[in-house]
Amino acid sequence: MRTGEASKGFNLLLLDSKRARMHAFVHGMIADEYEQKIQTSIKKSTYLTDVIGVIEEHDPIRKIRNVNGVIQSQIKFKITDGSKSVQVTFWDEFAEYFAEMLKEETMYPVILIIGSARVTLWREEVILTNVGAATFYINCNHRSVVEIRKMIAQNMFSKNKLANEGKRCATIYMVKDINNLADNFIESHILCQVKLTKFQQVKTWCHPICTSCYERVHVLNNEDTCSFCKRVVPYADKKFEVSITANDETGSIVLILEDREVRTLMGKTVVIPR
């Protein structure tokens, strides 16, 4: 100040539920009055951050039943900066919109910027998730994206973990050719065109999985229990798994359709009434 006395104030960034941002400043003349209120609010605040990273391989969006019995959309994946990875979980409409935008993307690996991500801690693991003010940008025209793209080209990322379309194959195989493929095709993605002829008769077309690690859970003392997480899973998710017989003009083959494939065919998710 001109009098030579020290002055203080607060710079604030205000966010609303529509992701609109506005800068605010609390002048020094009234800063003392609001300082205690601001410090008290900080203890209850949700801490947000902007983050950039490359999307690693991930599962598709899915439906889960939360602890209150409400069905929610959820997509989980990890992003990496080449040295470390962090878990990201998007929920509900934000997750659905992100999944749709991801389908339309043609440039791989995908570089993602998340604006105003909420930072949480679960079992000593940092997890980023969305709040009302969160937003995202996929492969946007930003200098940080350009720098990461250069790092990828210089093999500074472990490419076997990055989400890409390189595993997709344009060659259509016949059933007889699939039966004669070598061992190096194990876990490879191939295309074939067959007719579904028979579903195996089983007691159930789905199985329960852990909502944390996605491993199959087992019933122990009448409770769904995850042996990997070593915990009871009170609201285990359900995933389809159906065995079928399919054929073309060259022969027949047994296929296992997992959750995404069955949901694509049926247009439904597994919901077990309680």
Side-chain angles (χ1 to χ4, degrees):
M1 298 180 64
R2 292 182 179 180
T3 60
E5 297 179 0
S7 177
K8 64 180 179 180
F10 297 99
N11 282 296
L12 304 175
L13 180 63
L14 306 179
L15 307 173
D16 65 14
S17 60
K18 296 183 179 180
R19 306 187 186 97
R21 295 165 170 79
M22 182 176 69
H23 173 261
F25 177 73
V26 180
H27 195 274
M29 295 181 63
I30 59 174
D32 289 336
E33 178 183 351
Y34 286 92
E35 182 176 12
Q36 185 62 39
K37 294 181 180 179
I38 293 175
Q39 289 180 346
T40 301
S41 299
I42 288 176
K43 297 179 182 179
K44 303 177 182 179
S45 293
T46 297
Y47 291 95
L48 308 179
T49 186
D50 298 335
V51 64
I52 182 172
V54 184
I55 298 180
E56 297 183 348
E57 289 283 2
H58 61 89
D59 291 329
I61 190 171
R62 64 191 187 126
K63 296 286 186 180
I64 68 166
R65 187 191 300 272
N66 64 23
V67 294
N68 298 315
V70 178
I71 302 299
Q72 291 186 276
S73 298
Q74 180 197 70
I75 185 169
K76 286 186 174 184
F77 57 94
K78 287 187 176 183
I79 57 175
T80 177
D81 62 359
S83 59
K84 294 183 179 180
S85 299
V86 64
Q87 180 74 46
V88 180
T89 303
F90 288 158
W91 296 92
D92 300 324
E93 293 182 359
F94 193 87
E96 294 170 3
Y97 179 61
F98 174 77
E100 288 300 316
M101 293 298 100
L102 201 58
K103 289 179 182 178
E104 298 178 3
E105 191 52 49
T106 58
M107 182 180 294
Y108 284 80
V110 175
I111 301 176
L112 175 68
I113 295 177
I114 308 174
S116 300
R118 180 186 180 188
V119 183
T120 61
L121 193 65
W122 172 254
R123 294 186 176 180
E124 299 184 356
E125 179 185 12
V126 174
I127 299 177
L128 302 177
T129 187
N130 62 289
V131 292
T135 187
F136 65 85
Y137 306 92
I138 299 176
N139 289 334
C140 68
N141 184 19
H142 189 274
R143 58 181 178 83
S144 298
V145 176
V146 175
E147 289 300 319
I148 290 183
R149 194 72 67 186
K150 290 180 180 178
M151 293 171 62
I152 295 173
Q154 296 170 1
N155 296 321
M156 299 177 67
F157 283 75
S158 177
K159 293 186 178 181
N160 61 327
K161 290 185 178 181
L162 303 184
N164 61 76
E165 291 190 326
K167 293 183 179 179
R168 297 185 180 181
C169 177
T171 303
I172 298 179
Y173 288 81
M174 307 301 290
V175 168
K176 68 174 183 178
D177 299 324
I178 296 175
N179 291 329
N180 295 324
L181 290 176
D183 292 344
N184 61 310
F185 276 84
I186 294 176
E187 296 188 359
S188 295
H189 291 195
I190 62 173
L191 296 179
C192 65
Q193 185 172 354
V194 294
K195 181 179 180 180
L196 308 184
T197 57
K198 183 180 179 181
F199 286 84
Q200 287 191 359
Q201 297 297 321
V202 293
K203 292 183 179 180
T204 177
W205 284 9
C206 64
H207 58 264
I209 64 167
C210 177
T211 54
S212 296
C213 67
Y214 305 118
E215 294 292 331
R216 187 177 298 198
V217 302
H218 303 279
V219 177
L220 181 64
N221 297 327
N222 295 322
E223 293 181 310
D224 287 335
T225 305
C226 178
S227 57
F228 184 82
C229 296
K230 294 180 173 55
R231 72 181 184 95
V232 173
V233 185
Y235 296 95
D237 197 7
K238 301 293 190 299
K239 280 195 174 183
F240 286 115
E241 186 175 277
V242 180
S243 297
I244 63 170
T245 301
N247 60 44
D248 61 13
E249 59 268 26
T250 66
S252 62
I253 190 172
V254 175
L255 302 177
I256 297 177
L257 301 184
E258 296 186 339
D259 189 69
R260 179 170 59 177
E261 291 76 18
V262 177
R263 286 191 287 109
T264 300
L265 290 173
M266 298 177 58
K268 298 181 180 296
T269 57
V270 182
V271 178
I272 306 298
R274 290 183 178 271

